[in-house]
Amino acid sequence: MTDLSAQMKPTATQMGEHSPGVGFRSLVIGLTAFLTVVDLFATQAILPSLTRHYGVTPAAMSFAVNASTIGMAIASLVIGFLSPQINRRTGILLSLALLAIPTSLLAAAPNLAVFTALRVAQGLCMASAFALTLAYLGEQCSAMDAGGAFAAYITGNVASNLIGRLISAAVADGLGLAWNFYFFAALNLAGAVLVYFTIKRAQPMHTMMPTGSPLDAMIAHWRNPRLRAAYGIGFCILFAFIGTFTFVNFVLVRPPLSLGMMDIGLVYFVFLPSVVTTLLAGRIASRLGTRPAIWGGIAVAAIGLPLMLAPHLSEVLTGMVLVGVGTFFAQAAATGFVGQVASENRGVASGTYLACYFCGGLVGTAVLGRLFDAFGWHACIAGVGLALAAAALLTLDLKR
């Protein structure tokens, strides 16, 4: 992306070769991802404070905070359908600039209904930028570079989970809830500036242009058992991730752990190992295969689940590290797989994958929230385990 379109020009890069400037390009890709989705999970770090502020149950507040996934699922599908007609640079730039509006308005949301609507609006903008960037990478990268590019983008996503939560907890603790949202609105505008100076105008490649309508393309993708399985894996991964890292916040502030606001922010250093491991996902999937890579990620996450039931902070943190490493690694491998398997209409394929992925987050919030309120943390973890098991079974259908 600093003139990434020039660096990844299909006519200059053969499908089996690496393009030049890979390291710098990966850095810019990761930073763009960070500034695109930093709002998505950062608000989870202040869930207990928001619950007290609005005077609602943990499940109700969690659903409101994660309502952004509704907008993200809708926008992913719409962008997938319209992708061939959208200029990548303009679309990403406008999405990030518009994202700052609902983000800043959250500072003055008078009730939970308005808060929820603004989170949906955030999701619409975030997913538009996210889907267009994935389509851009899928079209402009060589086959050798694609896995690394997607892994760099997901790594930026991972970093946003860590740094975003730390910032959110620190700003809310020091300056209050309102300033938290103003700060993140400024980060959204910074993302727009980055895109303006780094992504050159690039239309979809002619070889990627649809031969039929977007609906026909989507139906064709759903008929592909490999893509269908990848969509299901994406659904299960965010289902599990949301269930773990939304409701663990309430466990952390309650006895016997009883952590404070800033302590919760520091807890999210558990995402630091994921930044490193996710960056390796593309390379490992290329060498070992997508299925072993996803199975490995799921196994690591599954090992962490029982540790999160322990009454000691060290064991809970270890479990959080393992779940974070495993789910992000599996997501990176699955995302790269979709970009490689969809030889045509990649914008539609990426949009459909993201819609399924974010629907998994929405369903996970609703289902696991009810389990958490009614039966507690153990039932919530059991639901996460079932989602991981379903993802493992779906991985059987992934083949080159």
Side-chain angles (χ1 to χ4, degrees), residues 190-207:
V193 172
L194 176 67
V195 169
Y196 180 83
F197 286 107
T198 58
I199 296 183
K200 296 296 183 181
R201 192 174 297 273
Q203 296 290 349
M205 291 168 56
H206 293 296
T207 57

Side-chain angles (χ1 to χ4, degrees), residues 178-192:
W179 279 102
N180 170 77
F181 296 111
Y182 291 139
F183 186 87
F184 280 96
L187 289 181
N188 301 150
L189 293 176

Side-chain angles (χ1 to χ4, degrees), residues 35 68 141 243 256:
L35 295 171
S68 53
C141 286

Side-chain angles (χ1 to χ4, degrees), residues 23-289:
F24 182 73
R25 185 200 64 198
S26 297
L27 175 63
V28 177
I29 289 172
L31 187 56
T32 302
F34 172 85
L35 295 171
T36 299
V37 296
V38 69
D39 303 272
L40 181 58
F41 296 117
T43 311
Q44 289 183 350
I46 56 173
L47 261 174
S49 295
L50 288 170
T51 301
R52 291 191 297 271
H53 178 75
Y54 286 103
V56 295
T57 65
M61 194 68 244
S62 297
F63 184 84
V65 165
N66 292 313
S68 53
T69 57
I70 300 174
M72 298 189 86
I74 295 171
S76 297
L77 281 178
V78 172
I79 294 298
F81 269 69
L82 301 179
S83 180
Q85 286 77 44
I86 299 176
N87 177 273
R88 305 311 191 211
R89 179 178 183 271
T90 303
I92 300 168
L93 181 62
L94 287 177
S95 297
L96 290 174
L98 291 174
L99 176 58
I101 297 174
T103 303
S104 59
L105 290 176
L106 281 168
N111 53 54
L112 196 61
V114 174
F115 186 98
T116 303
L118 290 172
R119 286 292 285 174
V120 173
Q122 279 187 305
L124 290 169
C125 297
M126 281 187 282
S128 297
F130 198 96
L132 287 172
T133 305
L134 287 183
Y136 178 89
L137 296 177
E139 293 164 357
Q140 301 300 318
C141 286
S142 69
M144 288 294 290
D145 288 337
F150 285 117
Y153 198 70
I154 301 303
T155 301
N157 187 346
V158 178
S160 73
N161 274 268
L162 166 60
I163 300 173
R165 292 172 197 258
L166 286 172
I167 293 172
S168 184
V171 174
D173 190 43
L175 301 175
L177 291 173
W179 279 102
N180 170 77
F181 296 111
Y182 291 139
F183 186 87
F184 280 96
L187 289 181
N188 301 150
L189 293 176
V193 172
L194 176 67
V195 169
Y196 180 83
F197 286 107
T198 58
I199 296 183
K200 296 296 183 181
R201 192 174 297 273
Q203 296 290 349
M205 291 168 56
H206 293 296
T207 57
M208 305 296 179
M209 292 298 286
T211 56
S213 71
L215 181 59
D216 291 338
M218 179 176 290
I219 293 173
H221 289 152
W222 275 105
R223 288 174 176 170
N224 185 327
R226 294 180 297 170
L227 287 177
R228 193 166 59 239
Y231 296 159
I233 291 168
F235 179 96
C236 293
I237 287 174
L238 195 58
F239 185 106
F241 181 87
I242 286 282
T244 301
F245 290 101
T246 294
F247 299 104
V248 73
N249 292 285
F250 298 101
V251 175
L252 293 172
V253 299
R254 295 174 179 174
L257 301 179
S258 303
L259 300 184
M261 174 71 72
M262 199 56 224
D263 293 327
I264 291 179
L266 295 174
V267 158
Y268 286 103
F269 273 108
V270 296
F271 287 119
L272 194 57
S274 301
V275 175
V276 178
T277 57
T278 304
L279 195 57
L280 301 174
R283 186 181 306 173
I284 292 175
S286 296
R287 290 184 178 181
L288 302 181

